[in-house]
Structures are given as C-alpha cells and as structure tokens.
C-alpha cells in the first residue's frame, strides 16, 4: 500500500513510465506540480488532450503532421530539393537533422528499424512506400541516416540492396557518430560532418 494519497501516487506511476524518469524524478515532478502556484498542470492537461488524435503521419514521408494535413510541412515546401531523400528511423531524427541546417532535401521516416530479435521485419517498416517514392519520383540520391547501431546498420544494408538496383545513388552518413548512439543526441557539428562526409554504399 502506498503512503501517498491515490491521486499523487497515480501521477507518480504515470510519470515513472516516461523514458529517462526514475521513481525519484517522478516523485519530485509530481510534488512540484502539486505545489506550484501557476497553472502548469492545466497547461499540461491541455497539451496532452488530443495529442494523439490531433496528429497523424504524413502520407508521403511518414513524418509527424497535423491530423488535418495530408502531408507535412517539409513535403509541402516547394523550396526543398526533390533530388535527395534522407531516410531516418524516427521523426525525431528529422528534428536533429533540421537543426544542423545542412540538409535541404526530402525525408522518409521508416518508423523503426529491422530487428529480428524483436520480430520487426521489412513489412513492419515504411520500406515499400520508400521504394515506391524512389521508383516514381525524382530522387537521384538516397541518404541512409539510420542510427549507427547494429540494427541501424543492418537496416541500411537491407535498404541498399533494395535501392541500388533502381539506379539511384545510395550513401550512408559518415562514421564519427558514436556507435550505438542516437542521431537525436548527436551534437549539431558532428551531425553536420557526418552528413557532409557521407559515403557511397556500393
Ligand atoms: Zn512529409
């Protein structure tokens, strides 16, 4: 039995399920919300309500977009170059790459990586739509920007096999990103260098 009243314990239990939040942080956050004078709790409630129902996936690249929009801001932007598609694991990686300001092409979000251990195969990812885009679009280069991890590398190799026969250049972000790391946590300069030094996957 908890020594805390149920409403606080419930909040702590929910917060604890967030990545990077342990029991101590969860308790601290819950007590902060309880004591703070401003309307932070209400702001949080408002932001969380409809978070999932009011957002969706871009029909072209599977980036996150408003549920009312068919395609995301980036796909909709005519100033961006159609010749290059940068393939990432997660929509968060787009944020990391956009922060570098060094990429002006299009993106494609796989929504995961190949992982035999977790039972994730090619059909579980947005690979078919990617191949369709490459086949029917104007892309001349596909940059494989999956994370520098075992799964990320395996996914890049698989994609290379699928894309090279379509007659398009396939490149991979340069090494220098920490192995096992996440694009999301790489600093801007490292990511910019990895992008500039991307290598041909023959
Ligand atoms: Zn899009």
């Amino acid at each position: 039995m908890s020594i805390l009243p149920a409403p606080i314990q419930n909040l702590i239990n929910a917060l604890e399920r967030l990545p990077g939040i342990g029991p101590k942080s969860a308790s601290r956050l819950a007590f902060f919300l309880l004591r703070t004078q401003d309307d932070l709790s209400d702001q949080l409630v408002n932001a969380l309500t409809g978070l999932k129902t009011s957002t969706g996936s871009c029909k072209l690249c599977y980036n996150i977009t408003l549920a009312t929009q068919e395609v995301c801001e980036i796909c909709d932007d005519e100033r961006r170059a159609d010749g290059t598609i940068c393939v990432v694991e997660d929509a968060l990686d787009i944020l990391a790459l956009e922060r570098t300001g060094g990429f002006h092409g299009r993106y494609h979000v796989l929504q995961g990586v190949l992982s035999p251990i977790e039972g994730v195969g090619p059909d579980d990812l947005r690979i078919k739509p990617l191949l369709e885009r490459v086949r029917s679009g104007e892309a001349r280069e596909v940059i494989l920007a999956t994370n520098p991890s075992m799964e990320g590398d395996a996914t890049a190799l698989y994609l290379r096999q699928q894309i090279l026969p379509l007659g398009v250049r396939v490149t991979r972000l340069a090494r220098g990103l920490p192995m096992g790391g996440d694009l999301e946590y790489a600093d801007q300069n490292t990511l910019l260098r990895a992008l500039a030094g991307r290598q041909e996957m023959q």
Side-chain angles (χ1 to χ4, degrees):
M1 215 189 81
S2 173
I3 53 165
L4 290 167
I8 302 173
Q9 190 59 51
N10 290 343
L11 177 59
I12 292 173
N13 293 348
L15 289 169
E16 251 188 79
R17 292 175 58 194
L18 295 170
I21 306 281
K24 273 190 182 170
S25 305
S27 308
R28 217 173 292 134
L29 287 170
F31 275 78
F32 176 79
L33 287 168
L34 186 68
R35 290 179 185 142
T36 186
Q37 298 294 318
D38 69 21
D39 59 354
L40 181 58
S41 300
D42 293 333
Q43 282 181 37
L44 278 170
V45 170
N46 283 335
L48 290 171
T49 304
L51 178 67
K52 286 196 171 182
T53 49
S54 57
T55 54
S57 276
C58 169
K59 298 255 182 310
L60 269 175
C61 76
Y62 298 94
N63 186 12
I64 294 166
T65 189
L66 283 173
T68 49
Q69 287 175 331
E70 288 255 301
V71 296
C72 71
E73 298 288 327
I74 294 175
C75 287
D76 205 31
D77 189 346
E78 286 173 6
R79 291 165 302 177
R80 299 194 72 112
D82 289 323
T84 317
I85 298 176
C86 182
V87 179
V88 294
E89 291 179 22
D90 193 271
L92 258 177
D93 300 328
I94 294 185
L95 227 71
L97 285 158
E98 284 300 290
R99 272 199 296 263
T100 69
F103 181 70
H104 310 286
R106 307 288 182 181
Y107 289 99
H108 191 90
V109 184
L110 294 172
Q111 296 186 336
V113 265
L114 294 176
S115 172
I117 294 169
E118 289 179 40
V120 182
D123 290 339
D124 300 310
L125 305 176
R126 305 296 186 176
I127 291 178
K128 272 194 189 128
L130 169 65
L131 299 176
E132 202 42 55
R133 274 181 84 185
V134 174
R135 233 177 252 123
S136 61
E138 296 167 32
R140 293 179 303 280
E141 178 185 359
V142 174
I143 304 172
L144 300 176
T146 48
N147 288 327
S149 62
M150 290 239 301
E151 287 94 348
D153 282 345
T155 307
L157 281 173
Y158 176 83
L159 290 174
R160 182 201 65 162
Q161 270 176 13
Q162 304 290 312
I163 298 168
L164 272 183
L166 304 176
V168 175
R169 256 183 94 193
V170 179
T171 55
R172 178 96 172 102
L173 288 190
R175 293 292 166 187
L177 292 169
M179 185 66 187
D182 235 334
L183 244 58
E184 191 193 328
Y185 300 120
D187 69 89
Q188 286 183 22
N189 284 330
T190 307
L191 203 48
L192 207 53
R193 271 203 304 276
L195 195 61
R198 62 186 186 269
Q199 282 147 7
E200 217 72 40
M201 283 186 89
Q202 299 292 358

